[in-house]
Amino acid sequence: MARNRFDIDENLESPFNIKHFKRALVYIKRQQKPMIIALILSALSAGIALSAPLIMQHVVDVTIPEKDKSGLIFWSLLMLATIVVSVILATIRSRMMTRVGQDIIFDIRTDLFKHLQELPFQYYDDRPQGKILIRVVNYVNSVSDVLSNGIINFILEILNLLFIAIFMFAVDVRLSLVILAGLPVFVCVIMLLKTRQRRAWQAVSNKSSNLNAYLQESISGIRVTQIFTREQHNEGLFTRLATNFRTEWMRTMYLNFLIPFSVDNLATIVTTAIYFVGLLALGPEEITFGVILAMSSYAARFWQPILNISNLYNSFINAVAYLERIFETLDEPVTVSDVPHAKELPPIQGHITFDDVTFAYDPGHNILENLSFHVKAGESVALVGPTGAGKTTVVNLISRFYNITGGQIRIDGHDIGDAKLKSLRSQMGIMLQDSFIFSGTIMDNIRYGRLDATDEEVVAAAKIVCADDFIREFEHGYMTEVNERGSKLSQGQRQLISFARTLLADPRILILDEATSSIDAQTERLLQKGLNELLKGRTSFIIAHRLSTVKNCDKIMYVADKGVAESGSHDELIARRGRYYKLYSAQKMEAL
């Protein structure tokens, strides 16, 4: 999936590629047993239904002229039985295929979600979330029916055509040829419209994807929108995207309606031709009225499968385009993963070494170059410096959220690139800058990273970070339900809950990225007391712009110029009167 924005169409103009459909057969094969049963039921239902015109012909040509009342009752009941049995078989088949379609959706969507969970941060950095979501939801929904009912219906329609042709020619060869005479005209119509139809549906998908991406972005940023009174401007953007979608949809519907319009007219013309040829050209001496009635019924039935096959063909082509996007997501490489023969990282003490580390988010634009430093187990390290210098990057590399470009990072002498990710991250407690709260109870959110934690352990972690008091003020305490992203909580409350979640994991390495940025000064002082106890015996990295919160750290590293410009304790750096001294002095002056 290429980098994109909500106002840029995805490139869906790709030729029909059968390999994507073949790949989808993996999901179809899992459902082959019910699909075969459904196909048999469909064939039986179609075959029984096709006997109705023959019954009607016999009744008109034989039973009624002979005034056979008992025969009329018999044939009427037989026709009713064919209708009932056909409907019952079709209903059973429909229910089976509904389940098959949902099972296929479940399998594809589960594989997508599992893969998305494994993709690195880099994948999400430059991609609209809405355009990722539409692949998991809309595109999967679009292909499921084609992969289940579509295949069954395609085979069934072919069989229908074959059965109808057999029945038609069995009744009358000459009128059958009249019906087939309209087929070349229909083929010409399909050939003229099929490419335009496919492109039109792809354009609809593009505009739907753009609209979905902007809608998701707007909902996520609604507070910022209202703060800056951007409602009217954003409404204009949404209206433009919605208008583009509506325009493409209407154009597509216009093209779609041309095919049934053509079929209806051709069917009418052919039916008229049947009556003309049968009654006028050949005459009642050669063809009975019952035969004409049966053939007109078969003519109507004959064109419907052809219409369905043409629609299925377009659906298959569109589905392949969707499948390509789905498989493109599934094929997105998991660049940060366990290497072959990766080893479990044993219980760590917390010695961390950066050895000549270089890293770039984009090739050729290094954020860090030849960075080397060593942190002893149990040391607390503060990372300070200007915005964008690479402080968060350093802690992200320790957690191996990104692969380094060069050099080596070791924990207790073990290269983290050779360690299994789960064994590495399970021994780290990380509180990122964005305090994300999941929908559920406060208890569930704190327990998120350690599902086996007891309620008492959850409460103990909350007390350490000074979250217990405000949690108990809620009517339901720890069982209070919170919305996605914690919209009912203040920013400070969200950070304290995230802090408790991180501390509950009891990590050997603790990473706090602006952990106290939204906490008031009084709460921060209380929190610091608990943290001082918690940090004992753990290696910790603390990123903070307020230098007063990190002055007691064992080591302070000033990150700048793609590396560590200065390193030492607070007193050592102040005595050095370098960059840290200037930054600290400036903040001290601002506080006065």
Side-chain angles (χ1 to χ4, degrees), residues 58-126:
H58 181 79
V59 168
V60 172
D61 288 344
V62 179
T63 307
I64 293 178
E66 293 180 356
K67 298 181 181 180
D68 183 2
K69 293 182 179 180
S70 60
L72 182 61
I73 294 173
F74 170 76
W75 291 112
S76 297
L77 291 174
L78 183 61
M79 178 171 283
L80 178 62
T82 62
I83 295 172
V84 171
V85 172
S86 179
V87 169
I88 291 174
L89 293 177
T91 301
I92 296 173
R93 175 257 190 189
S94 178
R95 291 183 176 180
M96 290 183 65
M97 293 313 298
T98 298
R99 179 176 292 277
V100 167
Q102 288 303 310
D103 287 343
I104 290 175
I105 286 178
F106 176 83
D107 289 343
I108 297 177
R109 194 167 284 155
T110 300
D111 288 348
L112 273 171
F113 182 76
K114 180 181 178 182
H115 190 67
L116 288 171
Q117 293 280 93
E118 296 173 350
L119 289 174
F121 286 6
Q122 189 78 44
Y123 177 78
Y124 298 96
D125 286 342
D126 300 300

Side-chain angles (χ1 to χ4, degrees), residues 101 151 154 190 213 282 289 304 318 365 388 407 476 493 525-526 531 536 540 555 570 589:
I151 294 175
F154 187 81
I190 292 296
L282 299 176
F289 183 71
Q304 190 59 47
N318 292 332
H365 299 84
H476 301 292
Q493 289 172 335
R525 284 193 293 271
L526 294 173
L531 284 179
K536 289 181 180 179
S540 58
K555 182 186 295 184
H570 172 76
M589 289 294 293

